[in-house]
Amino acid sequence: ETGVTQSPTHLIKTRGQQVTLRCSSQSGHNTVSWYQQALGQGPQFIFQYYREEENGRGNFPPRFSGLQFPNYSSELNVNALELDDSALYLCASSPAGQVYGYTFGSGTRLTVV
Amino acid sequence: QQQVKQSPQSLIVQKGGISIINCAYENTAFDYFPWYQQFPGKGPALLIAIRPDVSEKKEGRFTISFNKSAKQFSLHIMDSQPGDSATYFCAASRNAGNMLTFGGGTRLMVKP
């Protein structure tokens, strides 16, 4: 059984650019949630994808968008990057659109310069 | 608005001691309270979780105590070991919902 894998592990982008982060869910999980973890803080919910549709969104602007594919993998896209977008982006997979059984990946460290 | 407040921000405990981390929440609709452990460079991993219909849950050296009337819950790590040194997060969720609200984290260091 494979866990949650995220790519890339580290990324440096320039302010104003766009970035795509990727997540493969754990075997048997059909739901993917994305969180942003700023340095020294707890993770904050961005959104969740269940059955290829957005299933809830946190307090993040529309320039944060996502996709889920038929194999349950997911992408997080961020447009018009700002310096404050620098953070660890965590993906978590779970069964059936809920928080029970959340398994987190190791994250993608995004630095915006 | 921070709905889950966690304290202390950092904690130093001697090996063999008890580590205690506290959380308070505001939203009375929360009904699932997990604790996560995070090592540097890794994602959070679920340690233990509790529902408000019980006041305490124990798994090995880890115990959650829950006080519904005070809207508080805490994590106790008995016989703390250097390998327990990590950042701990409390979290809460509403009605088996689709998101977790995390506390700000506690950085625990266990000295040998």
Side-chain angles (χ1 to χ4, degrees):
Chain A
E1 179 180 290
T2 59
V4 176
T5 57
Q6 293 187 242
S7 62
T9 54
H10 296 84
L11 201 53
I12 300 175
K13 288 286 189 178
T14 302
R15 189 172 50 182
Q17 284 188 316
Q18 178 266 343
V19 69
T20 298
L21 310 182
R22 294 178 174 84
C23 172
S24 294
S25 62
Q26 179 169 310
S27 175
H29 286 183
N30 59 10
T31 302
V32 173
S33 304
W34 287 91
Y35 286 78
Q36 180 195 66
Q37 186 177 19
L39 198 62
Q41 297 183 22
Q44 287 200 310
F45 177 73
I46 302 174
F47 44 55
Q48 182 186 83
Y49 277 83
Y50 175 52
R51 294 181 175 175
E52 301 180 50
E53 292 192 2
E54 189 177 288
N55 181 42
R57 186 179 186 95
N59 189 25
F60 281 82
R63 60 189 184 84
F64 285 78
S65 63
L67 282 173
Q68 186 179 34
F69 300 100
N71 67 353
Y72 308 128
S73 66
S74 176
E75 286 182 355
L76 164 65
N77 299 289
V78 187
N79 294 321
L81 283 167
E82 300 176 0
L83 297 179
D84 284 349
D85 295 335
S86 295
L88 180 68
Y89 288 85
L90 294 164
C91 166
S93 72
S94 60
Q98 296 183 352
V99 300
Y100 307 130
Y102 253 21
T103 300
F104 281 91
S106 293
T108 294
R109 172 71 64 187
L110 172 65
T111 303
V112 182
V113 297
Chain B
Q1 181 186 14
Q2 185 183 4
Q3 294 191 48
V4 179
K5 294 184 179 180
Q6 185 172 345
S7 64
Q9 286 187 307
S10 62
L11 183 60
I12 300 174
V13 173
Q14 289 296 129
K15 179 183 175 181
I18 302 173
S19 304
I20 302 174
I21 305 171
N22 301 299
C23 281
Y25 63 97
E26 299 168 7
N27 189 342
T28 55
F30 285 148
D31 66 351
Y32 173 68
F33 302 90
W35 284 89
Y36 284 83
Q37 178 189 57
Q38 186 176 28
F39 292 104
K42 298 293 184 183
L46 179 66
L47 261 182
I48 185 172
I50 197 168
R51 290 190 163 280
D53 52 347
V54 297
S55 60
E56 186 175 282
K57 182 175 181 181
K58 183 175 181 179
E59 289 184 2
R61 295 185 295 111
F62 301 93
T63 299
I64 300 179
S65 297
F66 187 84
N67 186 330
K68 188 174 181 178
S69 60
K71 293 187 288 184
Q72 295 176 346
F73 59 110
S74 60
L75 175 69
H76 295 231
I77 306 174
M78 312 299 288
D79 188 26
S80 299
Q81 299 297 313
D84 296 331
S85 297
T87 300
Y88 292 80
F89 293 96
C90 62
S93 174
R94 180 168 72 89
N95 294 333
N98 57 7
M99 62 170 284
L100 286 172
T101 300
F102 283 85
T106 296
R107 200 170 197 175
L108 171 66
M109 180 186 297
V110 181
K111 289 193 167 183

